[in-house]
Amino acid sequence: MRHLLSVDDLDAAAAHGLLDEAERFEQALLGREVRKLPTLRGRTVMTLFYENSTRTRVSFEVAGKWMSADVINVSASSSSAGKGESLRDTAKTLRAAGADALIVRHPASGAAHQIARWTAEDGDGPAVINAGDGTHEHPTQALLDALTLRQRLGSLEGRRIAIVGDILHSRVARSNAHLLATLGAQVVLVAPPTLLPVGVSGWPVEVSHHLDATLPGVDAVMVLRVQAERMNGGFFPSAREYSIRYGLSERRLALLDDDAVVLHPGPMLRGMEIGFSVADSPRATVLQQVSNGVHMRMAVLFRLLVGTDEEGVS
């Protein structure tokens, strides 16, 4: 692997390898008073975020620091991008400054792919990791979600996973739908017709508009955030109407099998997308997803910057 730009970069073997790698990092750190590994000592990891983020940005920073990398955060609001510098020039500047890995979040779909091309124009550039590009993809989120599901459910082969909510604007939905299918799961998307993207019939998924009818028999429900900042029209009548039809309430939680789990990539809009008690129930994996995010991003950085030599996990 040179970059991680899309889940399409991964076949089942590569995805399982990253899941296993993340669990090895979790075990390597278990019980350590000082959570530090020498794995990436001397490497420089830079995060370049043009959108707000808490979980993704912090977990990448923690992952790099726990592996002894030098981690530098660059935000658009405080960089030369605020003076009008182009994305291309910013990326090439960070490459010239010594970045071994560039972790990129950008509101434009395809931005991470462009940066990978631009920074390789004069020879080998840094490894580029897509931390979310527009409504396109968020591959490390899909990987950490798959890790969480595997830990809770065992094998993903044949499992039925429902992804509920704002599919249209969700890069998390796209990456999860394709990665979970690659790992053998059956994915069903549940949303109003206005929140489904054009071309969804070509995805490896089923589609439903009825949440109550879908919940019985699923092994997991992934609730998505309604991305109001990307909406410029009336996609549903009101927040209350959305909650009534597509919110995961306590009543709907009771429709699930006893061992079914609930995921949410965060941040959660409690009371609209997900009930307060549901978000805090033992079935919810929200904080487990955050913890797994650090270990999974350690695995991705390790695989891109070091390779498959397991001696680094010690």
Side-chain angles (χ1 to χ4, degrees):
M1 290 176 62
R2 186 73 191 96
H3 308 291
L4 181 58
L5 306 174
S6 165
V7 296
D8 291 337
D9 296 339
L10 306 170
D11 59 16
H16 279 298
L18 283 169
L19 301 184
D20 293 342
E21 199 88 79
E23 291 191 325
R24 282 195 288 270
F25 275 111
E26 181 180 14
Q27 290 301 312
L29 292 165
L30 198 63
R32 284 181 180 246
E33 185 176 347
V34 178
R35 285 179 286 190
K36 279 282 190 180
L37 301 171
T39 317
L40 297 183
R41 183 176 294 151
R43 305 296 183 99
T44 301
V45 174
M46 298 186 186
T47 65
L48 178 59
F49 277 54
Y50 285 76
E51 289 184 321
N52 295 333
S53 171
T54 299
R55 292 157 188 78
T56 302
R57 185 167 193 161
V58 167
S59 64
F60 267 117
E61 182 175 355
V62 171
K65 289 185 175 181
W66 281 2
M67 291 193 290
S68 302
D70 296 312
V71 181
I72 299 170
N73 294 317
V74 182
S75 64
S77 61
S78 59
S79 72
S80 294
K83 300 177 180 179
E85 183 175 64
S86 70
L87 178 63
R88 181 178 185 273
D89 286 339
T90 297
K92 291 176 79 70
T93 295
L94 297 181
R95 180 209 166 167
D100 294 299
L102 276 178
I103 299 157
V104 181
R105 169 167 288 193
H106 198 278
S109 298
H113 290 74
Q114 286 283 17
I115 286 174
R117 284 194 285 270
W118 288 329
T119 55
E121 286 176 352
D122 304 318
D124 288 340
V128 177
I129 301 171
N130 183 1
D133 60 333
T135 59
H136 180 224
E137 281 219 40
H138 194 350
T140 59
Q141 179 69 46
L143 283 163
L144 73 90
D145 290 338
L147 177 61
T148 303
L149 286 167
R150 192 173 78 166
Q151 290 172 343
R152 287 292 190 106
L153 304 176
S155 172
L156 292 175
E157 188 72 37
R159 296 290 191 172
R160 188 168 173 81
I161 315 296
I163 302 178
V164 182
D166 185 3
I167 310 294
L168 176 63
H169 302 101
S170 178
R171 52 198 173 210
V172 172
R174 284 167 172 75
S175 290
N176 266 288
H178 289 277
L179 182 64
L180 290 172
T182 296
L183 295 174
Q186 301 169 7
V187 179
V188 54
L189 306 180
V190 187
T194 53
L195 289 178
L196 287 170
V198 174
V200 72
S201 59
W203 296 15
V205 300
E206 302 171 31
V207 175
S208 172
H209 305 307
H210 306 288
L211 182 56
D212 287 353
T214 303
L215 292 178
V218 302
D219 297 292
V221 180
M222 182 180 298
V223 183
L224 299 174
R225 182 174 69 86
V226 174
Q227 299 189 36
E229 74 277 9
R230 300 187 191 278
M231 296 181 180
N232 55 8
F235 290 88
F236 47 85
S238 66
R240 182 175 182 275
E241 179 75 13
Y242 180 92
S243 179
I244 290 170
R245 296 200 60 188
Y246 296 100
L248 189 61
S249 62
E250 193 165 351
R251 177 187 67 80
R252 288 195 167 114
L253 188 67
L255 298 176
L256 296 169
D257 292 343
D258 291 341
D259 58 351
V261 297
V262 176
L263 299 87
H264 196 301
M268 295 182 288
L269 297 181
R270 292 177 182 245
M272 180 181 171
E273 305 157 351
I274 188 168
F276 284 83
S277 59
V278 177
D280 295 326
S281 75
R283 296 201 196 187
T285 66
V286 177
L287 295 181
Q288 185 179 354
Q289 288 170 266
V290 175
S291 297
N292 282 338
V294 177
H295 303 133
M296 178 50 67
R297 283 151 182 151
M298 292 176 76
V300 169
L301 286 168
F302 176 69
R303 187 61 61 91
L304 292 178
L305 295 182
V306 179
T308 58
D309 181 1
E310 295 180 20
E311 292 180 3
V313 188
S314 61

